[in-house]
Amino acid sequence: MTRKTILLTLIAAFSVASVFAGQPASFKKLAGPATEMDSMRMPSPESEGVRSKTAVIPVRFEKGRVEIDVPIETSDNLRIGVISPEGSNWEIKAFRGDSKPIDLRTNTDLVERDLGNLGIDGLSFPAEMFVMRGVSGSRWKFEITNERDTFRGSTAGFLVITSDSPVKLYSWIGTNSTIVGREIPINAFPYDASASDELAIPPALPGSHRGSIEVTDPRGATNTYKLDSSETGLSGVFTPSIPGQYQIRISVTGIGPKGETYLRTSEQVIQVISDNAQLGKMTVATPIDSMRMEAEIPVTGLPNGRKVIVYGEIFARGDDSTEPVAWIGGMTETEGRGIAKTLPVTIDGRWLANADAKNGFELRNVRIQDPDYFVTIAEAKQMELAVTSLPEAAAGFRGDVNDEMRMGVKPLNPMRDNAAGGVLMLVHGYCSGGNSFPTSQFTGEIVFHDPNANRTHDQFANLIRNFGASYPSFGIVAHSQGGAASLHLYTYYWSGLDYATGNRLIQSVGTPYQGTALAGNLAALGSVFGAGCGTNNNLTYSGASAWLSGIPTWARAKVHYSTTSFKDVWWKYDYCNIATDLFLNDPDDGVIEKTKGQLSGANNRGHKTGWCHTTSMRDPGQTTDSSRNADMNANAAR
């Protein structure tokens, strides 16, 4: 390579990095038709509840011994998990009523023992599992002894218990605005899964139920609150005093449908932020060229340069009423001096022309969200939209909706004439040790590498964009969280994805687009065992739901996704990971439930059995499926 070629390559790389480096100029100016408004609004918190079939009980030794009493309303296929780095050193005996003790490790007639790991990708903890069949239900007592007497008085691990009982616990965080100083409601109720597990919000079991919530703040301090009876079952509230990640442990007991006492717990995590902002009552829009105008949304309580996601719906006065025109939004940053700031948002006049909207404008359902955790910082039901003058396009355009209207003006690509051709980027998942796709099964590939890291979708997306900035274009094949991060990148930022050509822009396998139940449980385990990666709020049900509310249909349509699960056989209890199976509803791949791997509006490439999330599970790892990989390679955009 000549010096001139090297210099041109460096100049081009610097230029593209400046275009795709996360500055406001690289934000896409998002918009969509009024028909998309319903899908872009935040869902109700109640609709994103966690369903739990387990009781997770802390193990705290006193002088090397502990007894734990647990009501188990039925014991068909009773499954007992011991999650602890020292669990293999414990002696565990189970007592049913006044019967003789059952040694879980030595009684091979009643107990089937297995070893596994509880975790997501690279974040996992050792687990020992015991499956008991053919034993009747009653109250059980577990006696655990630890000769080494470590963890004295503190949590040494967890006993996890579940069975084939139809009783499950439905719980949710009752607000999207988890902000310091604001009350955060916690809600829960038991339900009969055999009758209503398919419903979005199942009906609560009648009868007497009681419960509590245990809240652990970012410093490790724990407080317990009572759950009181309410119209929605049981409810409690706490007020966070500092920002950071909070762990919520919900515990509910009562009488099940067969008259037996049950115990269920649910572990959740929430991210609390310190912003306490307010939106103004009027915004002013001014033309910036013949096509577009810029609206300045007033906001107080945010520092200058604070990056947020903004969303709003344009309405205009019609003949007899105010009619919807379009939604607008995307990433933006606060501007201005002093207390009052503004959030600049672009409005393409062609949306107004399509709706024949000329006057009486207002914004409705305005919200701003934190870009990392999607916490709603502030919102306004209605805001006057004062227009100084309309751009020319608002009066004369009658064409078809195009990408420029949806995303804004695409920047020039400085790499087009100064680098090799487009490539296929292989992207790993959350806390992964590295790429899990066999590179020999792909062509023209580059491998994204950010090992053993915990990134929010936004942080992950920017790393992908910067990694691909040396190439004129790239498509993506992603695993697990890598799929969500890639979709986040395509939605909010200009990158090499926007210059790729080919059939499928983003392809993913095993991506938790709607979250995973494991995220909350891993937070509790990590706080005890010192997890290296830390828990990711974006992977929770509520976090994923808040994120998805900002992903438009045109972005989802660029995703082609696949799901997998274990190969089920009729003659035995089967699973991908015996430890995670305690928390997931079948079918699952050991980390992601099939139902939570779905992405509405995207292209479902199918579900295959006999493949698990990673190679360490019972069936082969889903990223090693040569048939799927060949299909993705052949159809990938580059």
Side-chain angles (χ1 to χ4, degrees):
M1 182 181 291
T2 66
R3 289 186 178 181
K4 181 178 180 180
T5 302
I6 294 173
L7 180 61
L8 287 174
T9 301
L10 291 174
I11 292 173
F14 177 80
S15 299
V16 78
S18 66
V19 173
F20 300 147
Q23 300 304 312
S26 69
F27 296 154
K28 290 182 177 179
K29 314 300 184 182
L30 307 188
T35 53
E36 290 180 351
M37 288 180 180
D38 285 345
S39 65
M40 296 294 292
R41 292 168 183 162
M42 289 287 289
S44 69
E46 185 181 5
S47 66
E48 303 304 320
V50 173
R51 301 166 192 254
S52 173
K53 58 185 178 181
T54 62
V56 179
I57 305 166
V59 176
R60 299 181 176 115
F61 290 108
E62 290 294 337
K63 296 182 179 179
R65 184 176 178 276
V66 64
E67 288 186 358
I68 299 173
D69 290 303
V70 184
I72 301 174
E73 66 277 24
T74 180
S75 300
D76 294 336
N77 200 19
L78 176 62
R79 299 186 292 284
I80 304 161
V82 176
I83 317 293
S84 173
E86 293 194 358
S88 60
N89 298 318
W90 299 350
E91 182 181 86
I92 309 168
K93 294 181 179 179
F95 299 80
R96 184 179 67 250
D98 296 327
S99 64
K100 293 181 180 180
I102 302 171
D103 190 308
L104 297 187
R105 288 205 173 88
T106 62
N107 193 326
T108 57
D109 293 333
L110 290 177
V111 183
E112 177 184 343
R113 177 175 174 265
D114 202 350
L115 298 175
N117 288 288
L118 177 63
I120 305 174
D121 295 354
L123 174 61
S124 62
F125 305 92
E128 189 173 11
M129 304 302 303
F130 306 95
V131 181
M132 302 175 66
R133 298 186 180 87
V135 290
S136 60
S138 64
R139 292 194 70 91
W140 285 73
K141 180 174 72 175
F142 294 89
E143 181 183 277
I144 307 175
T145 55
N146 178 18
E147 291 183 358
R148 298 175 63 177
D149 196 19
T150 51
F151 291 96
R152 181 181 297 183
S154 61
T155 302
F158 297 88
L159 190 67
V160 185
I161 299 173
T162 189
S163 69
D164 290 339
S165 166
V167 178
K168 288 186 180 181
L169 182 66
Y170 191 82
S171 61
W172 70 98
I173 310 300
T175 179
N176 295 311
S177 297
T178 50
I179 294 174
V180 169
R182 297 188 190 179
E183 288 189 344
I184 297 178
I186 310 294
N187 305 273
F189 60 77
Y191 71 98
D192 184 350
S194 64
S196 57
D197 210 19
E198 76 284 354
L199 299 178
I201 303 177
L205 274 178
S208 175
H209 314 282
R210 59 187 183 277
S212 63
I213 53 175
E214 190 177 87
V215 179
T216 303
D217 71 18
R219 296 171 297 195
T222 299
N223 290 288
T224 301
Y225 306 85
K226 181 183 177 183
L227 285 173
D228 297 314
S229 296
S230 68
E231 293 181 357
T232 57
L234 297 169
S235 64
V237 66
F238 80 98
T239 303
S241 59
I242 59 173
Q245 189 179 87
Y246 285 70
Q247 301 164 32
I248 315 294
R249 182 175 183 269
I250 303 165
S251 180
V252 174
T253 187
I255 306 300
K258 296 182 179 180
E260 298 172 308
T261 305
Y262 70 86
L263 170 66
R264 295 289 181 273
T265 66
S266 179
E267 289 68 37
Q268 301 197 33
V269 294
I270 59 172
Q271 190 74 28
V272 173
I273 63 175
S274 58
D275 296 292
N276 194 1
Q278 285 189 325
L279 295 172
K281 296 182 179 180
M282 183 180 76
T283 181
V284 178
T286 305
I288 53 177
D289 57 34
S290 63
M291 291 288 188
R292 286 158 288 272
M293 55 185 177
E294 186 172 83
E296 301 283 347
I297 297 177
V299 61
T300 57
L302 294 180
N304 200 41
R306 172 70 155 100
K307 186 171 75 169
V308 297
I309 298 172
V310 64
Y311 170 84
E313 299 167 1
I314 302 174
F315 281 69
R317 188 177 301 120
D319 295 335
D320 300 314
S321 62
T322 303
E323 303 294 335
V325 175
W327 66 265
I328 56 171
M331 293 280 185
T332 188
E333 292 180 347
T334 54
E335 297 179 350
R337 297 179 178 178
I339 296 176
K341 302 290 192 300
T342 59
L343 294 167
V345 182
T346 298
I347 300 174
D348 193 305
R350 288 170 284 187
W351 290 112
L352 308 183
N354 272 3
D356 198 25
K358 296 181 175 61
N359 54 53
F361 298 106
E362 64 181 44
L363 289 179
R364 295 185 183 177
N365 299 314
V366 183
R367 70 172 185 265
I368 56 175
Q369 292 172 277
D370 177 87
D372 280 310
Y373 307 110
F374 314 105
V375 173
T376 299
I377 300 171
E379 53 192 337
K381 296 238 178 244
Q382 188 272 337
M383 182 183 297
E384 183 183 347
L385 175 57
V387 177
T388 58
S389 63
L390 292 173
E392 294 176 15
F397 179 77
R398 288 295 183 273
D400 295 329
V401 173
N402 57 35
D403 284 345
E404 190 172 277
M405 293 169 63
R406 299 184 185 98
M407 294 183 273
V409 179
K410 184 189 296 186
L412 295 176
N413 185 353
M415 296 300 293
R416 184 180 300 277
D417 300 319
N418 298 296
V423 294
L424 176 60
M425 188 185 301
L426 305 180
V427 180
H428 59 67
Y430 157 79
C431 196
S432 174
N435 170 55
S436 58
F437 291 101
T439 54
S440 62
Q441 296 175 9
F442 296 89
T443 56
E445 81 286 349
I446 58 173
V447 177
F448 174 83
H449 194 60
D450 181 38
N452 306 313
N454 178 13
R455 311 291 187 189
T456 67
H457 288 349
D458 194 62
Q459 294 164 351
F460 204 151
N462 279 284
L463 290 173
I464 294 171
R465 178 184 49 174
N466 293 339
F467 178 70
S470 298
Y471 302 90
S473 63
F474 58 85
I476 288 177
V477 166
H479 182 231
S480 197
Q481 190 197 359
S486 301
L487 175 55
H488 184 94
L489 171 60
Y490 180 69
T491 299
Y492 291 109
Y493 300 95
W494 295 109
S495 74
L497 280 172
D498 295 285
Y499 303 92
T501 58
N503 294 336
R504 304 176 191 168
L505 186 64
I506 299 170
Q507 300 178 85
S508 69
V509 58
T511 293
Y513 289 109
Q514 299 181 51
T516 170
L518 300 182
N521 296 287
L522 289 176
L525 297 173
S527 66
V528 173
F529 308 139
C533 283
T535 308
N536 193 315
N537 184 71
N538 294 175
L539 302 180
T540 66
Y541 290 160
S542 58
S545 173
W547 167 68
L548 280 175
S549 68
I551 307 298
T553 56
W554 52 258
R556 298 177 188 224
K558 295 295 186 179
V559 175
H560 296 253
Y561 69 95
S562 301
T563 55
T564 72
S565 63
F566 55 85
K567 184 178 181 181
D568 201 4
V569 292
W570 64 268
W571 65 85
K572 67 176 181 176
Y573 165 52
D574 211 349
Y575 47 82
C576 267
N577 183 325
I578 194 169
T580 62
D581 196 63
L582 292 169
F583 303 97
L584 302 174
N585 292 307
D586 296 343
D588 66 81
D589 67 5
V591 171
I592 313 300
E593 296 157 321
K594 179 184 177 182
T595 58
K596 297 300 183 181
Q598 306 303 304
L599 179 62
S600 174
N603 305 278
N604 187 341
R605 307 308 303 184
H607 181 85
K608 293 177 80 171
T609 60
W611 300 90
C612 294
H613 198 77
T614 60
T615 54
S616 62
M617 297 183 181
R618 195 161 185 171
D619 292 335
Q622 56 196 199
T623 57
T624 63
D625 183 346
S626 59
S627 175
R628 182 190 299 108
N629 290 344
D631 176 67
M632 291 194 294
N633 182 61
N635 287 282
R638 288 176 170 83

